[in-house]
Amino acid sequence: MTDGQRLFIGGSWVEPDGGHYEVIDPATEDVVGLAPEASRDQVHAAAAAAREAFRTWSRTTPEGRAAVLDRAAEEIRRNLVPYAELAQAETGATTGTARGMQVGVGAARFQRYARVEPVEEPLPPQINEAGPFGRAAVMGALAVRQPVGVVTCITSYNNPWANPAGKIAPALAMGNTVVVKPAPQDPLSVYRMAQALEAAGVPPGVVNVVSGSRAEVGEAAVDSDDVDMVSFTGSTAVGRRIAEVCGRGMKRQLMELGGKGAAVVFEDADLESAVRGIGTTFSFYSGQICTAPTRVLAQRPVYDRLVSQLAAYAGYLKVGDPRAEDTVVGPVISAAHRDRIESYVELGRKEGARVVAGGERPPSDRGFYVAPTLLADCTPDMRVVREEIFGPVVVVLPFDDEEEAVALANDSDYGLIDYVWSGDVARAFRVARRLRAGGVGVNTVGRNMEAPFGGFKQSGVGRDVGSYALHAYSEVQSLVWPG
């Protein structure tokens, strides 16, 4: 364990007013390091520094901003192994996930937004028949994307590299400045990201990082008068509270919230493909991901076979030390979260669900492990079906026909990512278009990282990823002139 981490405010590394708190390795329960506890005044100072830096950063050329992002990507890749080791210690991710999906994707996102894209769009001329001067005129117009201003980025604990990078990189590319408030469970990785940006030549105040275990740190990062926009990834409950504050200040919002993804499996589906896709819930971040297909709807002719194959798949996965080469399922983030997941499994039993895999805590002297768990014979009214568990737990319900499948899939407060498996591609796309979700995977759980990402209903507000993130972190200004 090293000395306590400092805050990053206005281009300087600053001692925290509130001291430090311990960051715990969920696999070993050892202390990874000491994270800084910022005060409200320090958070507001970070926002003020971002406001001051915005004056010049927003006027930097897109090419100049892109060069900084490109150098940051190179710096991250140069330090991939030590950065991944820290991310693994903070999150409990397997080695492959920490290197590829966490640090690797983080670097790729900085690289992606180092690509300069047009911010001006000519609009068709319009003949104004009765203008203010009483005569017809041809009016030209141009739609211009302008930076929003100071953006607070509040990030999730399941990926301390890809998630912050997906906010910081497009925000900076558009000319915004940022205040980053990382999740309290794994903030040290985000400070490494700040170091990489500093090494890449980001000007003082353009990027600021403040952390804390107390709610007041996040609250200060949202309510500061210097903040123009909040980009948040996390629970729907917290998102609602942030939205209330944003509403009072008319701040822009981008929110990626909870999910309870439906996976609709028709009788003609490739069951092996469906099982592999649904099985990612057990292994990918140990189910701590909002896009997971946690709510399986299986057509009755294949229901029993699908349940049996999913149970066998879950039982095959090795749970344990994420540093071991053959580990597939690591720990969840904390003891409190493990207890929460286990309470849902017990609730499922009481509601009448049948536990066909998992359901018991894996034997381990240390670490916060949850066995991949499959609950079958569920009904739509069960809480385990309706509420986000955020762990390696999958529930299965039967359906008879296409209409019932669509009705069950849409019977949810959430609408982030759903999935459809069917050998009839026309039917799969027909059903996909009827699902009330921001995205639908057709015979896959894969993602296209240029496709818009975000949710319907309680799963979020706005869209990001690819060019859509540049839109999210910008305002549209219209310029009009006589032609």
Side-chain angles (χ1 to χ4, degrees):
M1 185 175 67
T2 60
D3 293 336
Q5 173 68 53
R6 295 180 178 184
L7 305 166
F8 190 54
I9 300 175
S12 298
W13 295 94
V14 180
E15 286 291 341
D17 289 343
H20 293 84
Y21 67 94
E22 294 180 342
V23 175
I24 303 299
D25 184 332
T28 65
E29 302 185 45
D30 293 332
V31 177
V32 177
L34 300 177
E37 189 82 59
S39 64
R40 280 187 63 86
D41 287 345
Q42 287 181 311
V43 177
H44 285 171
R51 171 66 64 201
E52 180 63 29
F54 176 73
R55 303 178 197 279
T56 53
W57 180 251
S58 61
R59 295 197 298 270
T60 303
T61 66
E63 291 77 12
R65 298 194 294 262
V68 172
L69 299 180
D70 192 41
R71 291 194 296 270
E74 292 177 3
E75 183 71 15
I76 293 167
R77 290 194 176 104
R78 188 159 45 243
N79 293 282
L80 187 146
V81 172
Y83 285 169
E85 288 174 348
L86 176 60
Q88 182 174 57
E90 289 192 284
T91 66
T94 61
T95 301
T97 296
R99 292 186 181 184
M101 299 305 297
Q102 292 186 341
V103 182
V105 170
R109 288 184 170 174
F110 279 103
Q111 189 77 63
R112 161 63 180 85
Y113 294 105
R115 190 170 80 207
V116 178
E117 296 192 18
V119 295
E120 299 180 356
E121 179 186 359
L123 302 177
Q126 181 186 38
I127 297 177
N128 191 332
E129 297 289 353
F133 304 110
R135 61 180 183 271
V138 178
M139 305 300 293
L142 189 66
V144 181
R145 292 203 167 271
Q146 300 278 17
V148 178
V150 176
V151 181
T152 285
C153 303
I154 303 179
T155 65
S156 61
Y157 69 72
N158 58 353
N159 195 324
W161 278 92
N163 185 257
K167 299 177 185 298
I168 296 169
L172 297 189
M174 279 305 309
N176 302 284
T177 56
V178 298
V179 176
V180 187
K181 194 280 176 185
Q185 297 92 336
D186 50 11
L188 301 178
S189 289
V190 182
Y191 285 105
R192 297 299 178 272
M193 188 181 298
Q195 290 174 350
L197 283 159
E198 183 182 33
V202 69
V206 170
V207 175
N208 306 269
V209 183
V210 291
S211 59
S213 61
R214 300 191 296 266
E216 68 180 41
V217 178
E219 291 169 358
V222 172
D223 66 26
S224 167
D225 290 338
D226 285 312
V227 170
D228 302 294
M229 174 179 172
V230 177
S231 176
F232 171 69
T233 300
S235 72
T236 297
V238 174
R240 288 194 191 100
R241 295 199 294 272
I242 291 173
E244 290 173 1
V245 177
C246 288
R248 291 196 293 270
M250 296 304 292
K251 301 177 192 283
R252 287 278 299 277
Q253 302 168 50
L254 176 63
M255 294 199 181
E256 190 228 312
L257 307 176
K260 191 72 175 180
V264 181
V265 183
F266 285 98
E267 61 182 328
D268 60 353
D270 179 341
L271 289 192
E272 183 178 344
S273 172
V275 168
R276 284 198 310 268
I278 296 164
T280 60
T281 302
F282 301 132
S283 55
F284 195 45
Y285 300 132
S286 301
Q288 299 168 115
I289 184 164
C290 51
T291 59
T294 55
R295 189 167 50 106
V296 178
L297 310 176
Q299 199 162 19
R300 288 190 188 277
V302 294
Y303 178 86
D304 290 336
R305 273 196 294 150
L306 183 62
V307 168
S308 176
Q309 290 182 27
L310 280 171
Y313 187 93
Y316 178 75
L317 302 176
K318 182 186 175 184
V319 181
D321 179 4
R323 295 167 179 85
E325 288 186 6
D326 57 345
T327 293
V328 180
V329 183
V332 297
I333 196 67
S334 67
H337 190 52
R338 176 192 59 195
D339 293 347
R340 177 181 180 275
I341 295 168
E342 290 178 342
S343 71
Y344 266 108
V345 175
E346 183 58 30
L347 174 63
R349 282 193 177 100
K350 292 178 180 177
E351 289 180 318
R354 178 166 55 96
V355 180
V356 292
E360 302 293 337
R361 183 178 298 184
S364 179
D365 294 333
R366 308 187 78 188
F368 313 128
Y369 294 98
V370 176
T373 299
L374 184 67
L375 303 178
D377 303 343
C378 296
T379 57
D381 58 324
M382 291 180 177
R383 285 181 58 193
V384 290
V385 173
R386 307 202 66 82
E387 298 176 14
E388 184 178 38
I389 299 173
F390 215 62
V393 180
V394 171
V395 302
V396 190
L397 299 79
F399 72 88
D400 288 309
D401 56 27
E402 184 176 316
E403 288 300 317
E404 185 182 14
V406 171
L408 287 172
N410 288 336
D411 183 20
S412 173
D413 293 334
Y414 298 106
L416 188 57
I417 304 288
D418 285 345
Y419 306 87
V420 180
W421 271 274
S422 174
D424 183 342
V425 176
R427 174 168 65 177
F429 275 90
R430 181 174 66 245
V431 170
R433 290 189 176 94
R434 296 181 63 192
L435 299 181
R436 298 288 296 164
V440 182
V442 178
N443 291 324
T444 184
V445 293
R447 293 265 305 278
N448 180 320
M449 297 312 295
E450 290 296 316
F453 179 73
F456 287 15
K457 298 184 280 187
Q458 299 293 314
S459 286
V461 176
R463 296 293 182 271
D464 67 357
V465 176
S467 297
Y468 294 89
L470 298 175
H471 300 170
Y473 292 99
S474 62
E475 297 276 18
V476 180
Q477 178 187 59
S478 60
L479 305 179
V480 180
W481 63 92

